[in-house]
Amino acid sequence: MERKFLNVILLGFGFMFVFTAFQTMGNIEKTILDSITQDDPAFTGDGYTSLAIIYATLAICNWMAPSIISITGPRGAMLIGALTYLFFIVTFLFPRTWFLYVASVLIGAGAAAIWTGQGNYLTLNSDAETISRNSGIFWAMLQCSLFFGNLFVFIKFQGKTHIDLETRNVVFGALTAVCAVGIVFILLLRPTRRAPTIDDVKSEMAVSEAEGPMEAFRGALRLFCTSDMILLSAAFVYTGVELSFFSGVYSPSIGFTLAMGENAKQLVGLSGVFIGMGEVLGGAIFGILGNKTTRWGRDPVVIMGYLIHMTSFFLIFINLPNAAPFGDTMDTSYITPSPYLAMFCSFLLGFGDACYNTQIYSMLGGKYADNSTSAFALFKFTQSLAAASCFFYSSRAPLSVQLGVLAVLASAGTAAFCRVEWRSRARARAAALEPADDKLAPATHSLADNTLHYD
């Protein structure tokens, strides 16, 4: 197997195991913490608040991530980040309110390092021909974490209306072990260097291996102010809000809808499984079709994701009650709550998310190959800031308001992404025509030196 492709596979396995632990934890955190509060009234930690702290810290620390990576390199940054994920999972074995929030801050900082390092490392192991394929394969492997972790939770939560101490400790212990396996895979990653292209040699903006922390920070600021990055930020914001919705709000809302039946809590884990199935299928399809999406354009895939998400928002609106995000409720919506429809919506949310994220990764890894560290840091900054905002209002805004916000942001984000994609293709076509024009330039003959000159 070609070395760079092997690195992509190892990267996928590392993130799959680390995020089997974290994404499963994020999916069940609200439900778990509510059960801990019932057992121990002194514990007042809240799942939405914890997730909001994580993403707010991640947003802030993303500005420092390029500077950190200029010192540690992408592999070192990913290792440091993965260790904070392990620490976060371990803290649930010792539930203390202050401990939860301290761990939330640490994992937020670690997430900035691991995700910016991942984007940079994936770009270093890709080129213009393989970036779409590698992005799709990585995304499919990463989202397997939703499938395996939540399937385990589905089995462990079976028939339970309250998650007892023994069940919680078994789940936390298993997730800790899985996270540790992911760290081993990250340790196996081998160093690599991206082969320079002609454009890299010409570009004065290419990032030097010896770039210092302050220059990396200034470079990120300059990139953030470009017109294309400002437009892409609208798409980044939407992915952050919908990430927080499907990863921390939607599945617990299903569990809080008691009209789903006596196994409502069990459906929390099953919802994560179906989200994961959608993510994996989307990532696998776009990985296989990576070369074709690069040739035909990324916008059809993003538009498809938009239509899928809008459909899922409507179905969720008629299936779940308005009060579902706040806690257990016997309320119903426009139809009798259906577990089957809820799982179908979970699948749609996952598949639509894969449409957006695989194409954003492809865009950043291709368009900003020379400055991938800053590009991925800005992506995660904007996405995380939006996710944190969503978690802050999730405990107060009824479901219909949250779905309305998602619909508006989806429309704006999709339009902005397509605008940048169309503009990039126009530039590429113009650049492709330049050499041909040069060849057609008229030749003039100099009698003085008897040589040919081209205008």
Side-chain angles (χ1 to χ4, degrees), residues 199 202 423-438:
D199 289 338
K202 291 181 178 179
R423 187 187 292 176
S424 296
R425 287 216 301 269
R427 288 171 183 158
R429 284 194 295 267
L433 292 174
E434 286 179 2
D437 293 340
D438 291 341

Side-chain angles (χ1 to χ4, degrees), residues 120-380:
N120 181 233
Y121 191 76
L122 184 68
T123 303
L124 290 173
N125 284 279
S126 306
D127 54 35
E129 295 297 319
T130 62
I131 184 62
S132 291
R133 179 203 68 184
N134 290 349
S135 297
I137 290 172
F138 170 79
W139 192 257
M141 295 182 71
L142 167 66
Q143 298 305 334
C144 283
S145 61
L146 282 169
F147 180 78
F148 297 122
N150 285 292
L151 184 61
F152 172 66
V153 168
F154 171 73
I155 295 170
K156 293 303 296 180
F157 286 9
Q158 194 163 11
K160 295 182 182 290
T161 57
H162 173 78
I163 314 305
D164 58 86
L165 176 62
E166 181 181 356
T167 302
R168 295 197 301 263
N169 285 343
V170 169
V171 170
F172 299 151
L175 295 181
T176 298
V178 169
C179 187
V181 172
I183 292 174
V184 172
F185 275 100
I186 290 175
L187 286 169
L188 293 175
L189 294 174
R190 307 317 306 153
T192 188
R193 180 187 290 269
R194 180 173 169 271
T197 64
I198 294 175
D199 289 338
D200 294 338
V201 175
K202 291 181 178 179
S203 175
E204 293 296 329
M205 296 180 65
V207 178
S208 168
E209 291 294 323
E211 182 183 64
M214 285 307 299
E215 181 55 35
F217 177 73
R218 285 192 291 268
L221 284 175
R222 287 193 297 269
L223 182 60
F224 190 61
C225 295
T226 61
S227 60
D228 281 354
M229 188 58 73
I230 291 172
L231 281 172
L232 285 174
S233 293
F236 301 163
V237 166
Y238 172 63
T239 61
V241 174
E242 58 101 1
L243 165 68
S244 62
F245 179 76
F246 79 72
S247 66
V249 177
Y250 179 63
S251 294
S253 295
I254 296 173
F256 290 143
T257 305
L258 300 182
M260 288 284 182
E262 60 181 14
N263 289 325
K265 301 299 182 189
Q266 188 179 0
L267 294 175
V268 175
L270 191 60
S271 171
V273 171
F274 276 91
I275 292 171
M277 289 172 62
E279 295 274 17
V280 171
L281 180 62
I285 290 174
F286 303 131
I288 294 170
L289 300 177
N291 291 335
K292 291 183 172 56
T293 57
T294 301
R295 190 180 309 119
W296 297 338
R298 305 173 182 94
D299 46 304
V301 178
V302 170
I303 291 171
M304 178 173 66
Y306 169 74
L307 296 175
I308 288 171
H309 270 181
M310 294 300 284
T311 301
S312 68
F313 297 155
F314 173 74
L315 295 176
I316 292 169
F317 175 70
I318 64 173
N319 192 42
L320 297 185
N322 234 359
F326 305 141
D328 290 343
T329 179
M330 288 299 298
D331 294 350
T332 59
S333 187
Y334 292 92
I335 63 174
T336 302
S338 167
Y340 298 103
L341 185 57
M343 296 305 105
F344 179 62
C345 290
S346 297
F347 176 82
L348 293 181
L349 288 172
F351 191 86
D353 183 65
C355 291
Y356 280 96
N357 278 281
T358 54
Q359 302 315 300
I360 287 174
Y361 270 70
S362 176
M363 168 77 78
L364 296 181
K367 180 178 173 61
Y368 298 103
D370 303 333
N371 204 4
S372 61
T373 301
S374 295
F376 279 96
L378 294 174
F379 167 44
K380 283 299 173 181

